[in-house]
Amino acid sequence: MAERVRGVRGRGLRKRGEADGFDRRLVPPMILGSILNPINSSMLAVALVPIGHAFGVPPSQTAWLVSALYLATAVGQPVIGRLVDAFGPRRLYLLGTALVGAAGLLGVFAPSFWLLIVSRVLLGFGTSAAYPASMYLLRTESERTGMKSPSGILAALSVSNQVIAVIGPTLGGVLIGLGGWHLIFAINVPLSLACLALGALRLPKSVRAGREADAANSADVPGMLLFAGSLTAFMLFLTSPGTAHWYLPVIGAVAGAVFVRRELASADPFIDLRVLSGNTPLLATYARQLLAYTTSYAFLYGYSQWLQDGRGLGPEQAGLLLLPMSLMAIGVTVLTGRHPQVRGKLFVGGLAQLVGVAALLGLNSGSPIWLLVVIGAIFGIPQGLIGLANQNALYAQADPERTGASAGLLRTFSYLGALLASAANAAFFKSGANTAGLHELAWMLVVVSVLLLLVTVADRALRRIGRD
């Protein structure tokens, strides 16, 4: 009888408008919150030059506007994810999106370039709340409905992020044309208000039973600070590697060692290293994310620079030649996103990534436009497959009690890949984004892509995901 009642109740929920058994009212705040990070990343691409002119700073300094967001997000995702696990998604979602609005206002009225960087740091932390909050909500909805894989909603989140990545530079250009670069910061204010309204109206107020009483203790603030300090030191070194900054990896290693010792001795650690070390499939997912996004970001930044310096195209033409990549990524995600199986997606995506970086070895200053279009489209295949497949894999592999922190760590490995890519571009393009530098970068990416395929093929646990 109970099962019959539960089934009738589930059918009733579907009639009231739930997709795959999940409450559709949660989807708008989840999607709107998730686009805050990509819209701030992509709009800035067309604003670096006018910001540099406005403050009289060279490109080597305006690059910190990009790195500041990545640094803050890489640290903030797992920290805020752990707080989501402890306090529930509603509070952190509302606090994070409110911080986005405040950071946008600071950017609009920033009297100096370094305060503008502070604004980007705040944006990084503020935009870190929505993704772990969304993964937490998906987990609790899965438990409520008995549905194991919310692949359709994960696909919707992925598609929305990719669409924003496509229109972000165009939107940024329009805003700059209308009122200057300040508007790319000002747009965060209405977006923040919309997130606050949707979050207050639709996100559940309660957390899991028994979590509220000991939330403060389970937050493990010292562990979070040690993790953030270690990661920040290593990432700062990656942004500017060299013997002059030898002390940064030393600080990172010391803080990391203290962090490991503390977490292993803690009854309720920020990151349960004992469980994580025994969860080999989840560690493999993190490794795939790092490898895939190192190649993805290295291509995005390196290829676009080569199109202008090595191939002699203008920035508008270079932007158009990246459009097939984004459109292919969106199309692939739409076609495959609702299928929860991940192994085939990861293999095809890794193989396409290897083919794409190998094709870079054949480019020169006279390469035809059609070839450049094809290469961009090839790179759209892994863009549409790998990130979404890793999200589905993490959803199946993570400890349900630590879904938020685990999801945050997945994003951290994405941004570690971005910083590794930035360091690689700086190393291979010292004398400009010429063809020789592109070929050297491509050889490195061939190695990274082969490693990605090996990690995928060797992970037998992937076969079970999505087949129940």
Side-chain angles (χ1 to χ4, degrees):
M1 179 64 71
E3 293 297 326
R4 185 180 302 172
V5 171
R6 193 178 299 119
V8 171
R9 185 181 299 161
R11 289 192 296 272
L13 288 172
R14 288 174 185 266
K15 289 179 181 178
R16 289 201 300 271
E18 296 196 1
D20 297 332
F22 286 78
D23 190 348
R24 278 184 176 175
R25 295 173 300 174
L26 300 176
V27 176
M30 288 166 60
I31 289 180
L32 188 59
S34 73
I35 69 170
L36 293 176
N37 192 281
I39 197 171
N40 277 285
S41 298
S42 57
M43 287 194 304
L44 187 72
V46 295
L48 291 174
V49 172
I51 289 175
H53 290 163
F55 289 100
V57 296
S60 59
Q61 292 188 35
T62 57
W64 273 103
L65 294 171
V66 178
S67 298
L69 183 72
Y70 288 149
L71 280 167
T73 307
V75 172
Q77 287 277 355
V79 171
I80 295 177
R82 185 67 181 93
L83 295 175
V84 167
D85 290 332
F87 293 94
R90 179 186 171 90
R91 297 181 190 178
L92 275 300
Y93 180 94
L94 295 177
L95 286 172
T97 51
L99 184 59
V100 168
L105 287 174
L106 177 61
V108 171
F109 298 107
S112 68
F113 177 72
W114 295 108
L115 273 179
L116 202 62
I117 290 181
V118 171
S119 170
R120 293 285 292 179
V121 170
L122 295 178
L123 280 171
F125 283 116
T127 59
S128 294
Y131 179 69
S134 296
M135 294 298 285
Y136 182 103
L137 288 168
L138 290 177
R139 172 69 67 184
T140 54
E141 279 294 285
S142 176
E143 293 174 353
R144 180 184 67 81
T145 61
M147 303 289 290
K148 289 188 175 181
S149 177
S151 54
I153 298 178
L154 285 172
L157 290 172
S158 182
V159 169
S160 63
N161 279 255
Q162 289 168 357
V163 169
I164 288 299
V166 171
I167 68 172
T170 303
L171 176 61
V174 171
L175 292 174
I176 292 171
L178 291 174
W181 60 265
H182 298 83
L183 288 185
I184 73 166
F185 288 88
I187 196 174
N188 286 292
V189 177
L191 289 174
S192 171
L193 292 174
C195 286
L196 287 170
L198 285 172
L201 290 172
R202 298 190 173 186
L203 295 185
K205 295 182 179 180
S206 60
V207 299
R208 291 179 182 175
R211 298 296 289 175
E212 182 69 26
D214 61 349
N217 293 330
S218 66
D220 187 17
V221 174
M224 292 180 184
L225 293 176
L226 287 168
F227 173 83
S230 177
L231 185 59
T232 300
F234 281 120
M235 294 176 73
L236 285 173
F237 180 77
L238 288 176
T239 60
S240 184
T243 56
H245 300 138
W246 62 268
Y247 57 90
L248 288 173
V250 173
I251 293 173
V254 171
V258 177
F259 168 75
V260 170
R261 182 177 180 181
R262 174 185 171 79
E263 298 303 280
L264 290 175
S266 175
D268 194 2
F270 162 48
I271 298 176
D272 195 335
L273 298 178
R274 288 163 296 193
V275 173
L276 191 61
S277 63
N279 193 341
T280 303
L282 182 59
L283 293 176
T285 295
Y286 289 148
R288 286 192 301 271
Q289 192 81 344
L290 174 65
L291 293 169
Y293 276 77
T294 298
T295 300
S296 176
Y297 280 108
F299 171 79
L300 182 63
Y301 298 141
Y303 185 63
S304 59
Q305 291 181 75
W306 176 81
L307 287 174
Q308 297 174 65
D309 290 349
R311 182 60 175 77
L313 302 177
E316 298 84 1
Q317 294 170 305
L320 288 174
L321 285 174
L322 289 175
L323 190 59
M325 178 185 70
S326 299
L327 294 177
M328 177 66 78
I330 293 170
V332 167
T333 302
V334 170
L335 290 174
T336 66
R338 295 187 66 87
H339 301 286
Q341 293 86 0
V342 301
R343 193 169 188 265
K345 295 177 185 177
L346 290 169
F347 181 78
V348 173
L351 187 62
Q353 200 167 72
L354 178 59
V355 171
V357 295
L360 296 178
L361 295 169
L363 294 180
N364 55 58
S365 59
S367 295
I369 295 296
W370 67 264
L371 178 60
L372 306 181
V373 171
V374 169
I375 290 177
I378 290 173
F379 269 94
I381 297 172
Q383 290 275 12
L385 290 175
I386 296 177
L388 181 58
N390 280 334
Q391 281 187 114
N392 278 280
L394 177 134
Y395 183 83
Q397 295 162 344
D399 177 3
E401 291 296 322
R402 296 178 182 272
T403 300
S406 299
L409 275 174
L410 186 69
R411 286 293 180 94
T412 294
F413 279 93
S414 301
Y415 292 115
L416 280 173
L419 286 169
L420 287 173
S422 178
N425 285 335
F428 294 120
F429 290 157
K430 286 182 179 179
S431 57
N434 52 40
T435 299
L438 178 69
H439 290 170
E440 292 173 354
L441 176 65
W443 278 117
M444 186 205 81
L445 297 181
V446 165
V447 175
V448 174
S449 299
V450 169
L451 287 175
L452 173 62
L453 278 173
L454 291 176
V455 172
T456 300
V457 172
D459 190 355
R460 296 183 179 181
L462 294 174
R463 298 176 181 176
R464 298 190 298 269
I465 297 175
R467 296 192 179 277
D468 293 337

